[in-house]
Amino acid sequence: MMTRHELRDSIFRIVFREQFVDKDDMSAQAGDYIESLREEPLTYLKNKKLLDDGLTDEDADYIVDKAEKILAATDDIDKVLALASKGWELKRIGKTELAILRVAVYEIRYDENVPDKVAVNEAIELAKAYCDEKAPAFINGVLSSLIEN
């Protein structure tokens, strides 16, 4: 089984792809990602247990389901982000940061199973892994503003 962090990382990777392909292709993109994860887990994960046991169907279903829910709610999520980002137009936010923020906002607004602080912390960790050194503070500021309001 994948850790929650690994699941979230995979969800982020699918949500990120949406910015580069037609929305109608996202189901295929999610399927391609899961297939790649099954075939080349070292490319995506460092979890030795996953390498030995393989990706479970439960984890694959969770990743795809949550990514699809986030993508379906993107318009609403972006409205929330536009208000919380205070002075930043969404088109000025980097694509990586935007995908991370979309996952976090979904978790804060729509996923009752994820505490707000966990969503923020995980978003910061994703930013540390995939963005420049200024991104974690930016993401923390946007999400903190969202939680406070």
Side-chain angles (χ1 to χ4, degrees):
M1 296 253 340
M2 294 173 72
T3 66
R4 287 287 177 186
H5 179 75
E6 290 168 333
L7 291 167
R8 190 173 283 104
D9 185 278
S10 290
I11 293 163
F12 152 74
R13 288 170 183 256
I14 293 171
V15 171
F16 178 76
R17 289 178 179 208
E18 185 267 338
Q19 298 174 77
F20 302 97
V21 299
D22 188 272
K23 288 187 184 229
D24 294 336
D25 292 336
M26 283 311 299
S27 181
Q29 287 290 316
D32 289 347
Y33 176 81
I34 295 299
E35 184 178 324
S36 296
L37 189 58
R38 287 186 194 281
E39 292 176 2
E40 302 174 45
L42 268 181
T43 303
Y44 301 94
L45 305 167
K46 294 182 174 97
N47 183 338
K48 177 76 169 108
K49 185 173 183 346
L50 182 63
L51 296 175
D52 293 340
D53 298 343
L55 179 68
T56 67
D57 290 340
E58 180 182 333
D59 284 346
D61 291 345
Y62 179 85
I63 291 166
V64 171
D65 182 58
K66 192 161 182 179
E68 287 176 348
K69 287 178 180 176
I70 293 167
L71 294 170
T74 297
D75 290 341
D76 290 332
I77 290 169
D78 285 355
K79 288 175 188 172
V80 170
L81 277 173
L83 293 172
S85 60
K86 297 180 183 171
W88 280 82
E89 293 181 38
L90 293 186
K91 64 184 177 185
R92 288 187 58 216
I93 298 174
K95 294 184 183 313
T96 306
E97 290 87 343
L98 185 58
I100 291 168
L101 285 166
R102 285 175 173 163
V103 172
V105 169
Y106 178 85
E107 290 182 336
I108 291 167
R109 293 291 176 157
Y110 300 100
D111 193 336
E112 295 176 5
N113 295 318
V114 179
D116 291 353
K117 289 182 180 184
V118 171
V120 172
N121 184 57
E122 287 289 331
I124 291 168
E125 291 303 314
L126 286 170
K128 287 178 183 176
Y130 294 107
C131 304
D132 69 23
E133 66 277 353
K134 294 179 183 177
F138 173 73
I139 286 173
N140 185 45
V142 171
L143 295 176
S144 295
S145 172
L146 172 66
I147 291 171
E148 290 169 6
N149 293 327

